[in-house]
Amino acid sequence: MCDELFSSIETKKRSASLDQEFQVSVSMLEIYNEQVRDLLNLSLHVRGGLKVRQHPTKGFYVESLTSHAVYSQADIESRIVEGTRNRTLASTNMNSTSSRAHTIVSIYFHQKSRNNAGQFVTKMSSINLVDLAGSERSDISGTSGDRLKEGSLINQSLSTLGNVIKCLTDKTKGKQFVVAPYRESILTKLLKNALGGNSKTAMIATISPADIHYEETLSALRFANKAKNIKTTAVVNESQTDKLVRELREENQKLLDMLRRGQMGIGYTEEEVAEMRHSLEEQLKKNQEEMEKMNNSWQQRLKEAEAQNKLKLEEERQEQERMKSVPHLWNLHEDPALTGMVTHFIIPGKSKVGTLKGTEILLSGLSILPDHAVIYNKDGVVNVRPNADARLLVNGDEVRSDKMLRHNDRVLFGHNHLYVLHHPQDLAKQLREGRSVEKPTYDAAQQEIAQHLGLIGITGNRSKNRTQDDLLLEEELVQVLPHVNQANAISQELEKRVHFDIILVAPQARGLSEGRAEVCVKLVDCISGNEWVWSKNKFTNRKYMMAEMYEHYMEGQTDWDASCKDKDPFWEASDTEVPIGTVHVYLQSLAYVIELDETLAITDFRGAEQGYLHVAVVPCDDQGLERREDFLENPQEMIGKELHFKIKILSAKNLPTKIRTCFCKYKVYLDDKSTMTHESLQTGETHDINHQHLFTFNPVTKQFLSYLTNSSVVIEVWGKQERGSGEQGSLLPSSSTEPLSSARSSASDVVGANGHITVAFVIF
């Protein structure tokens, strides 16, 4: 497309007049958390992002967004690479996540010529290449019960985009009085012309081949189909350049006169007058820049751009040559498109790593100290030494003293800066020795970190013949591990006094009879000791909001902390329902029409006892009257007959002291919905539940009889905790270093050195 554009320009230039110009420029921006960032000019950092304004004829535009003159497709690609590199730096330093950001690359084409009246006329067109952030359905992401499930502004902007497309589709079908909600998000404001204005629009929808994403795939296809039905009309954008310049000059003169005379109106306060004066000065400055842009010769701008590009290309060429002989670090990122975008050379001698200005390797972000580490390059031998209290991992293992680095060693500074060492001389030596040298990946680097924490082989099957469930479980652990590390680091830096641990919950602990263990995250309040268990996806959703809060904190915003606890991603209400444990009630006695009355242990996800539940299963007649004398010697006699029985949950005893109310829920046989008890308050050491429910099966089938003899009813015990009290203290991370035992044990814990990760699980 770009090749064709520049080829057409060259063809037209051969027959064009001297005063005819063809101009191509490019801009690149990112929308993250409803804030706009110029990816081609990181020095233009505005608190709260660049402002989006509306022009009477141009429509919505980004104020102060830089556009760069380009003269070839290679030049456009170079600008996109530059923007991607800047995007990498920003996402790493601010702990933001690229998958939750929208990126817009705009290519502008202007044709300037004289019309029949001798006036300069400019014809304009633009191409917007939009990379939309991904969105997860709430039922799949596991955040449907979270009070902050709609907190992500990314999902909000995508929802608005969907609403806009629906409205435009309705208009196409002839519906009247339909207003598209463009103003509800930054994304839809900037895409207004592309969607429903003077444009031609194409949408590419990417879908997943996995059957578990079937509903999402259908949703994406429906979304794209709606977009396809939108009707747009493309006409020539033409404006008289001379007229625009004259109008801007006249408007500037009016603004200057108002400023000189101080005509701000009567009845305004000094602050309001100062604000209006500042607004007039800003408008004056903007108009002046517009005039200079129009008056400047395009050839002059193009020459300046070519000179800058040549200088940049020469610097890149020199850097590429330098990389062939000088050891250097290159970045690993979870987004493959952002991997290898940042390079730090390790010069002979000493290179300091940290946040201080003037540091040879300048880093910022989570857990990066002002003087974090020192890298020595002496006679081609590279060593790294972390300073006190600095977090530094090499190949997944924590480093406390000098460590020699080899080619392709993975180095993690803090929690977010992951690099690979490229050592040309060591690489050549390894190749001479016949060693196989493979390029490291982000996933492989995270896997070895998890391995050093004991998370690989956690399922108890350490052989090479691990099952698919084992591999899937380990993959999930590797994915969650860096996010839990980062959440703990953010919590510590923001003094939130909460701590996160990875836990594995077996299907039986979730009230299921079969399935594989599920990766969850436990939230611990370090003040009250209260605990909550979050699903992996609920934690991931909260983690994005924690990162946004941390970004505001790093920007120095005074309102970075949530104004109320309900909007704080680190906070969970004490009255939030939490799982206490489960009880398995075997129904084999019912097959003989014999009652069961037992007090059974309540076990949590670690397999630890959390109290006792008094349960009874009593055969009944069709009126609900209990039968205590009739019984069967052979369960097969029950087939074809009817069976009535009651499940009684009488009381719970010796629950954790922080539990103030509790309730139970369970399913019998093929139930879709759980049977629930009422909430019971604590009386002494006992919670009186006094629940009973009558079940009728008529007739009893072989399948149901098999269920009675071989299966159990899983009763889930839930509760609400006591409200926390006391002053907030500093977060004290766990210091336990107990090794992880086999998954066949009833409970295990592991805390990585400086990683603060706990894994607890139970396999029945």
Side-chain angles (χ1 to χ4, degrees):
M1 180 178 63
C2 293
D3 266 343
E4 184 64 28
L5 173 63
F6 287 106
S7 297
S8 299
I9 290 174
E10 290 301 320
T11 302
K12 287 194 173 185
K13 276 184 178 179
R14 298 189 188 102
S15 58
S17 59
L18 293 176
D19 55 6
Q20 193 170 2
E21 286 185 349
F22 304 93
Q23 308 173 358
V24 183
S25 57
V26 65
S27 68
M28 187 172 179
L29 63 86
E30 180 181 68
I31 305 172
Y32 182 80
N33 193 25
E34 283 296 277
Q35 296 184 7
V36 180
R37 181 163 51 200
D38 188 346
L39 292 177
L40 296 180
N41 185 11
L42 284 186
S43 61
L44 187 63
H45 181 73
V46 180
R47 179 181 171 181
L50 301 179
K51 301 297 182 185
V52 175
R53 307 290 189 189
Q54 187 173 18
H55 191 274
T57 55
K58 293 180 183 178
F60 291 103
Y61 68 97
V62 179
E63 189 177 52
S64 303
L65 180 68
T66 57
S67 62
H68 300 262
V70 289
Y71 51 87
S72 66
Q73 179 182 341
D75 198 11
I76 292 176
E77 290 177 352
S78 175
R79 290 294 182 182
I80 292 176
V81 169
E82 178 187 348
T84 305
R85 183 182 296 113
N86 291 338
R87 183 180 170 200
T88 308
L89 286 169
S91 68
T92 304
N93 292 341
M94 300 309 296
N95 199 41
S96 59
T97 305
S98 60
S99 62
R100 289 257 172 146
H102 311 296
T103 305
I104 302 178
V105 177
S106 298
I107 302 170
Y108 309 99
F109 177 48
H110 294 74
Q111 297 182 69
K112 285 188 176 182
S113 60
R114 291 187 183 274
N115 60 12
N116 295 332
Q119 297 174 321
F120 268 110
V121 174
T122 301
K123 295 179 181 178
M124 299 159 287
S125 62
S126 63
I127 302 170
N128 292 313
L129 306 175
V130 186
D131 180 14
L132 294 176
S135 176
E136 296 175 344
R137 291 167 59 89
S138 60
D139 55 343
I140 291 178
S141 68
T143 59
S144 56
D146 187 6
R147 60 185 168 79
L148 294 179
K149 65 175 181 176
E150 298 299 333
S152 172
L153 295 173
I154 299 302
N155 283 337
Q156 183 180 328
S157 64
L158 289 173
S159 298
T160 303
L161 177 61
N163 293 336
V164 167
I165 289 177
K166 182 181 182 301
C167 290
L168 295 176
T169 304
D170 291 343
K171 279 187 177 180
T172 302
K173 293 177 179 177
K175 290 187 179 180
Q176 297 181 347
F177 309 111
V178 178
V179 179
Y182 291 110
R183 293 179 175 273
E184 291 185 8
S185 78
I186 298 294
L187 177 67
T188 48
K189 284 180 182 178
L190 297 180
L191 295 184
K192 181 179 180 182
N193 285 337
L195 289 170
N198 175 20
S199 64
K200 290 185 178 180
T201 304
M203 175 178 285
I204 300 173
T206 57
I207 59 177
S208 168
D211 57 356
I212 61 171
H213 297 137
Y214 175 78
E215 292 297 331
E216 285 187 304
T217 296
L218 284 182
S219 177
L221 291 174
R222 292 190 194 103
F223 186 85
N225 188 58
K226 285 182 181 178
K228 182 181 70 175
N229 294 329
I230 296 173
K231 303 297 182 184
T232 57
T233 304
V235 297
V236 176
N237 290 318
E238 190 173 42
S239 65
Q240 295 183 9
T241 307
D242 291 341
K243 181 182 177 183
L244 285 174
V245 172
R246 186 178 68 253
E247 288 176 348
L248 284 171
R249 193 175 286 121
E250 289 173 356
E251 185 179 351
N252 273 8
Q253 190 58 48
K254 289 179 182 178
L255 292 171
L256 281 170
D257 291 342
M258 290 178 68
L259 286 170
R260 286 169 186 157
R261 291 195 298 266
Q263 291 180 349
M264 305 296 171
I266 301 172
Y268 292 103
T269 64
E270 291 184 7
E271 291 79 5
E272 290 172 333
V273 170
E275 187 176 342
M276 285 188 283
R277 178 179 289 276
H278 177 71
S279 178
L280 289 174
E281 290 172 349
E282 286 291 318
Q283 185 64 37
L284 183 65
K285 180 182 176 182
K286 194 179 90 174
N287 289 351
Q288 192 65 35
E289 289 174 353
E290 286 284 336
M291 284 196 299
E292 289 175 1
K293 200 180 285 185
M294 291 180 181
N295 289 327
N296 280 350
S297 164
W298 176 254
Q299 295 302 324
Q300 180 183 347
R301 287 186 64 194
L302 200 57
K303 284 180 181 178
E304 291 174 358
E306 284 184 284
Q308 290 177 1
N309 196 47
K310 284 180 180 178
L311 181 62
K312 187 173 65 174
L313 288 174
E314 178 61 24
E315 289 175 352
E316 289 179 356
R317 188 192 66 79
Q318 291 179 3
E319 184 175 284
Q320 291 294 326
E321 288 297 318
R322 194 180 178 195
M323 290 167 68
K324 294 177 182 178
S325 57
V326 180
H328 57 274
L329 296 168
W330 55 274
N331 76 300
L332 279 176
H333 199 281
E334 62 179 326
D335 185 345
L338 304 185
T339 289
M341 287 293 172
V342 181
T343 303
H344 296 291
F345 286 98
I346 301 174
I347 57 176
K350 183 170 68 172
S351 299
K352 291 185 177 181
V353 181
T355 62
L356 293 175
K357 290 184 178 180
T359 302
E360 287 79 7
I361 300 178
L362 185 63
L363 304 178
S364 63
L366 279 174
S367 304
I368 300 297
L369 303 179
D371 193 9
H372 197 88
V374 179
I375 301 178
Y376 299 92
N377 182 0
K378 184 177 181 181
D379 299 328
V381 178
V382 178
N383 287 273
V384 62
R385 178 195 298 165
N387 290 319
D389 301 323
R391 185 174 193 261
L392 190 146
L393 305 182
V394 175
N395 300 332
D397 196 13
E398 188 184 15
V399 175
R400 287 295 185 187
S401 57
D402 280 28
K403 172 75 175 178
M404 187 175 76
L405 300 179
R406 303 292 304 274
H407 176 72
N408 273 354
D409 277 353
R410 284 73 60 200
V411 185
L412 178 65
F413 300 98
H415 286 90
N416 217 32
H417 291 270
L418 183 58
Y419 289 89
V420 176
L421 174 69
H422 181 88
H423 197 310
Q425 293 77 23
D426 191 38
L427 170 61
K429 180 181 177 182
Q430 292 183 34
L431 292 175
R432 285 196 302 269
E433 294 172 352
R435 297 184 188 179
S436 176
V437 180
E438 296 183 2
K439 191 173 183 179
T441 64
Y442 178 85
D443 289 340
Q446 292 296 343
Q447 189 172 23
E448 69 182 354
I449 293 174
Q451 193 165 12
H452 279 82
L453 288 174
L455 301 184
I456 301 301
I458 194 172
T459 56
N461 186 358
R462 297 176 182 270
S463 67
K464 294 182 179 179
N465 300 320
R466 285 178 290 177
T467 66
Q468 185 177 6
D469 282 349
D470 293 339
L471 296 173
L472 288 172
L473 186 60
E474 289 180 1
E475 183 181 348
E476 285 187 29
L477 284 167
V478 169
Q479 291 173 351
V480 173
L481 175 63
H483 293 288
V484 172
N485 271 328
Q486 291 165 15
N488 279 326
I490 295 174
S491 172
Q492 191 165 12
E493 195 155 335
L494 300 185
E495 297 183 354
K496 286 295 181 178
R497 282 88 175 180
V498 298
H499 184 69
F500 299 94
D501 297 317
I502 296 177
I503 61 174
L504 297 185
V505 184
Q508 292 81 1
R510 306 195 307 272
L512 304 175
S513 58
E514 58 184 17
R516 68 182 180 90
E518 186 176 277
V519 177
C520 296
V521 175
K522 182 176 69 174
L523 167 66
V524 182
D525 186 325
C526 297
I527 306 299
S528 67
N530 286 347
E531 300 178 358
W532 297 266
V533 176
W534 289 351
S535 70
K536 181 191 71 173
N537 292 298
K538 177 177 177 178
F539 165 75
T540 302
N541 192 58
R542 292 288 190 96
K543 163 62 175 47
Y544 286 125
M545 286 176 255
M546 294 173 198
E548 290 167 8
M549 178 180 282
Y550 179 71
E551 183 174 350
H552 296 160
Y553 168 77
M554 291 292 289
E555 289 176 348
Q557 297 186 23
T558 55
D559 57 349
W560 63 266
D561 205 356
S563 57
C564 63
K565 287 186 176 181
D566 283 341
K567 295 182 179 179
D568 188 342
F570 292 93
W571 184 76
E572 194 71 88
S574 60
D575 60 355
T576 300
E577 296 169 356
V578 295
I580 300 171
T582 56
V583 172
H584 292 253
V585 182
Y586 289 90
L587 304 176
Q588 193 173 20
S589 63
L590 268 182
Y592 296 89
V593 197
I594 297 175
E595 86 170 291
L596 170 74
D597 190 335
E598 291 189 14
T599 299
L600 303 172
I602 303 170
T603 54
D604 65 7
F605 57 84
R606 293 180 292 261
E609 289 189 2
Q610 297 296 316
Y612 298 92
L613 193 68
H614 186 186
V615 182
V617 181
V618 184
C620 303
D621 59 20
D622 57 358
Q623 301 299 317
L625 298 176
E626 299 178 4
R627 299 164 52 189
R628 298 183 181 274
E629 298 179 357
D630 299 333
F631 66 92
L632 298 176
E633 294 185 359
N634 185 358
Q636 296 296 324
E637 297 176 19
M638 190 183 294
I639 297 176
K641 299 179 181 179
E642 62 181 0
L643 175 65
H644 309 276
F645 63 91
K646 288 181 181 178
I647 292 183
K648 296 182 176 181
I649 305 176
L650 304 175
S651 63
K653 296 181 179 180
N654 299 332
L655 297 182
T657 54
K658 60 188 175 185
I659 299 297
R660 57 187 175 89
T661 66
C662 77
F663 67 94
C664 303
K665 59 182 180 178
Y666 59 93
K667 294 180 181 179
V668 174
Y669 195 37
L670 302 179
D671 285 351
D672 291 325
K673 295 183 178 180
S674 297
T675 301
M676 300 185 65
T677 72
H678 67 277
E679 273 190 28
S680 65
L681 291 170
Q682 185 175 7
T683 305
E685 295 183 351
T686 303
H687 291 259
D688 292 321
I689 300 175
N690 297 323
H691 162 84
Q692 63 178 11
H693 189 86
L694 177 64
F695 293 88
T696 298
F697 291 89
N698 186 14
V700 173
T701 63
K702 288 183 179 180
Q703 183 181 6
F704 179 66
L705 185 60
S706 176
Y707 167 76
L708 291 181
T709 55
N710 300 306
S711 302
S712 63
V713 171
V714 181
I715 301 177
E716 300 177 54
V717 184
W718 291 71
K720 293 181 180 179
Q721 301 173 95
E722 294 285 357
R723 296 185 182 277
S725 61
E727 297 290 332
Q728 290 191 341
S730 60
L731 176 61
L732 299 175
S734 173
S735 59
S736 170
T737 55
E738 294 177 8
L740 186 70
S741 62
S742 165
R744 295 297 173 186
S745 63
S746 62
S748 292
D749 298 275
V750 61
V751 179
N754 238 2
H756 312 316
I757 300 299
T758 299
V759 177
F761 54 93
V762 54
I763 304 286
F764 289 85

